[in-house]
Amino acid sequence: MMNSKFLFLHVAIFIAILSFTPTSAHNKSRKSIAPSAPTSSQADYKGSFSAQVNFKGSFSKVYAFGDSYTDTGNAYHLGALKTFVKGIITHNSTNNLPGYRLSNGRLVIDYLCDALALPPLTPFKDLSTNSSAGVNFAIAGSTALSSDFFINHKIAHSLMWKAIPESFQTQIDWFHKFIQDTECKGTSLSECKIDFDNSLFWIGEMGGNDYARLYGSTVAVRFLTELAVNHVCKLVTTMLETGAKYIVVQGLPPAGCLPLNLALHPLHDRDAMGCSASANAIIQAHNELLQKKLDEIRRQFSGCMIVYADYWGAFHKILSNLKQFHFEEPFKACCGAGEGPFNFDLHCLCGATGSSTCADPSKFISWDGIHLTEAMHRHLAELLFNQGYCKPSFQDLIKMKTGT
């Protein structure tokens, strides 16, 4: 069996990178600088994504959960993450894209809202703006396992932006607080549940950070996978029991295909995609178990629509057809530093003095060696929502919702 330590090392360093203070992540002489501003094509938010099925009006609200691949500002507004990520985070309030993202532009969740003709989601920690179209509860760096799990096992990392992580439970607590204090205030529970019939629940990536937190511990990989998947499913069932009827659950992306992972792993550890075989093997096991568990939940909640977003499959489709998707650099970071094929240096991250940003991010899959570019998110969204990379398809979800 492939050595699982590779994956733990990759994700552990990934989380640590997002968690270092400037004095530990960079040399003291370095100053964090913002990456180049998006081009005009990137800044044009409206009309950038067209659905083959008419999504407009299908849902009036979206509630999102997840980690940095979905977070639009919660980790930033929690405070401790601000100092470091100011150099690699994007804040584009001038082009109708409010919030803070670990990318050079839009995420898949942004394209989803665009397809539904809804504005970008407001992060829960910044409800000063309009939340009538839904709320984003995702937190960068969050875990599927509860915070108590890490406390009880005495697993804490001082180098991470929170030694004990925020977990899915934090997001559930935020959701219930929002429902009680804002969304359903002054209405009965039954009336509130009826309103959820017009809401889409998006559960983004959840579980990858757990592998990082447990690197070097005595917890077995298989046991960890079962725990992580069970906690993701607990989030799903909690939403269903609250009244959710339409839920999309995202699988984990192939972490072994990121420049950070490729830079750390030996050349002999490669799969057919050119990515780390050992890392991706664990991710595949996670996704397979998640799909099996979702089937069980579907039988329990037969009147609801639970969709699996095959992020892995969509990513693989793009890697196998780079020219079709207009990518030229599958494994090289757009923003970074260092020689070699990955443009990634742990000591000179995107935004640090000495790093640089590519002229055309649309030709790159990776933004900073860890997160994806807006172009990659756009193509992933196209495959997920229009090309059948959801199970059942996203079109089937829309048809069930609209009765067509």
Side-chain angles (χ1 to χ4, degrees):
M1 185 175 178
M2 297 179 183
N3 191 349
S4 61
K5 188 173 290 186
F6 285 142
L7 176 62
F8 284 125
L9 177 62
H10 152 66
V11 190
I13 294 177
F14 156 52
I15 299 297
I17 284 173
L18 292 181
S19 313
F20 288 150
T21 61
T23 54
S24 59
H26 307 297
N27 292 337
K28 290 184 179 180
S29 60
R30 287 181 178 143
K31 293 182 179 180
S32 181
I33 59 175
S36 301
T39 63
S40 59
S41 63
Q42 293 169 318
D44 181 16
Y45 183 81
K46 289 298 182 181
S48 60
F49 181 88
S50 59
Q52 293 180 1
V53 173
N54 184 11
F55 294 167
K56 184 177 180 180
S58 302
F59 293 97
S60 59
K61 297 175 184 178
V62 174
Y63 296 110
F65 306 81
D67 64 6
S68 61
Y69 276 46
T70 306
D71 187 359
T72 56
N74 285 315
Y76 180 88
H77 286 292
L78 282 173
L81 196 59
K82 289 182 180 180
T83 304
F84 175 72
V85 300
K86 66 181 181 181
I88 62 173
I89 205 163
T90 299
H91 179 53
N92 292 321
S93 60
T94 59
N95 57 43
N96 202 31
L97 188 61
Y100 298 85
R101 291 158 177 76
L102 287 163
S103 177
N104 66 313
R106 287 158 285 188
L107 310 178
V108 170
I109 190 66
D110 295 310
Y111 286 109
L112 170 64
C113 291
D114 195 22
L116 296 173
L118 298 175
L121 293 184
T122 300
F124 174 77
K125 297 301 289 184
D126 184 28
L127 290 181
S128 58
T129 54
N130 187 2
S131 60
S132 61
V135 176
N136 193 333
F137 300 96
I139 310 171
S142 63
T143 57
L145 299 181
S146 68
S147 300
D148 288 342
F149 177 91
F150 297 95
I151 294 173
N152 294 336
H153 287 77
K154 295 181 171 54
I155 301 172
H157 289 265
S158 60
L159 291 179
M160 297 183 179
W161 76 278
K162 287 182 73 70
I164 299 298
E166 300 289 352
S167 73
F168 83 105
Q169 188 60 51
T170 299
Q171 300 181 39
I172 290 177
D173 292 343
W174 285 357
F175 171 74
H176 286 313
K177 179 175 175 57
F178 174 76
I179 295 303
Q180 179 179 349
D181 296 348
T182 305
E183 187 66 13
C184 297
K185 187 176 183 180
T187 63
S188 66
L189 180 60
S190 59
E191 291 174 327
C192 197
K193 284 189 175 183
I194 292 175
D195 188 53
F196 286 156
D197 287 350
N198 292 317
S199 301
L200 178 63
F201 288 73
W202 177 273
I203 298 178
E205 177 185 346
M206 188 74 76
N209 296 321
D210 298 84
Y211 296 108
R213 293 276 177 175
L214 292 168
Y215 172 70
S217 74
T218 58
V219 180
V221 177
R222 181 175 297 178
F223 177 66
L224 169 59
T225 299
E226 292 175 354
L227 282 179
V229 169
N230 285 339
H231 278 73
V232 173
C233 291
K234 180 181 178 181
L235 174 56
V236 175
T237 54
T238 298
M239 294 301 106
L240 290 168
E241 290 168 353
T242 303
K245 189 174 180 180
Y246 305 95
I247 297 183
V248 178
V249 183
Q250 177 188 314
L252 294 180
C257 299
L258 300 176
L260 167 62
N261 203 27
L262 292 167
L264 293 174
H265 289 59
L267 290 175
H268 63 77
D269 179 43
R270 295 292 185 265
D271 59 19
M273 292 190 291
C275 309
S276 168
S278 56
N280 282 347
I282 297 177
I283 299 298
Q284 281 185 300
H286 178 104
N287 288 338
E288 289 171 1
L289 181 59
L290 176 59
Q291 292 180 75
K292 179 181 178 181
K293 294 291 186 180
L294 290 179
D295 282 338
E296 296 174 3
I297 296 175
R298 289 187 184 103
R299 289 191 289 270
Q300 183 181 356
F301 296 88
S302 58
C304 301
M305 185 73 153
I306 303 170
V307 172
Y308 174 76
D310 186 7
Y311 211 94
W312 173 287
F315 203 116
H316 184 274
K317 170 71 173 180
I318 293 170
L319 274 182
S320 302
N321 301 274
L322 293 174
K323 289 185 178 180
Q324 176 185 340
F325 294 95
H326 309 291
F327 285 120
E328 297 179 1
E329 297 288 353
F331 303 125
K332 189 174 184 179
C334 168
C335 181
E339 299 179 356
F342 308 121
N343 190 38
F344 185 83
D345 183 350
L346 282 173
H347 304 290
C348 189
L349 301 174
C350 174
T353 300
S355 67
S356 61
T357 304
C358 63
D360 187 358
S362 68
K363 298 184 184 302
F364 288 69
I365 286 178
S366 175
W367 166 238
D368 57 9
I370 304 165
H371 305 95
L372 308 178
T373 60
E374 180 183 71
M376 183 60 169
H377 288 134
R378 177 168 58 86
H379 290 303
L380 287 169
E382 166 67 21
L383 291 171
L384 291 172
F385 305 139
N386 286 335
Q387 302 299 327
Y389 281 83
C390 281
K391 306 172 185 177
S393 73
F394 199 78
Q395 287 94 335
D396 286 341
L397 183 150
I398 297 298
K399 291 175 182 177
M400 177 179 176
K401 172 62 175 65
T402 58
T404 58

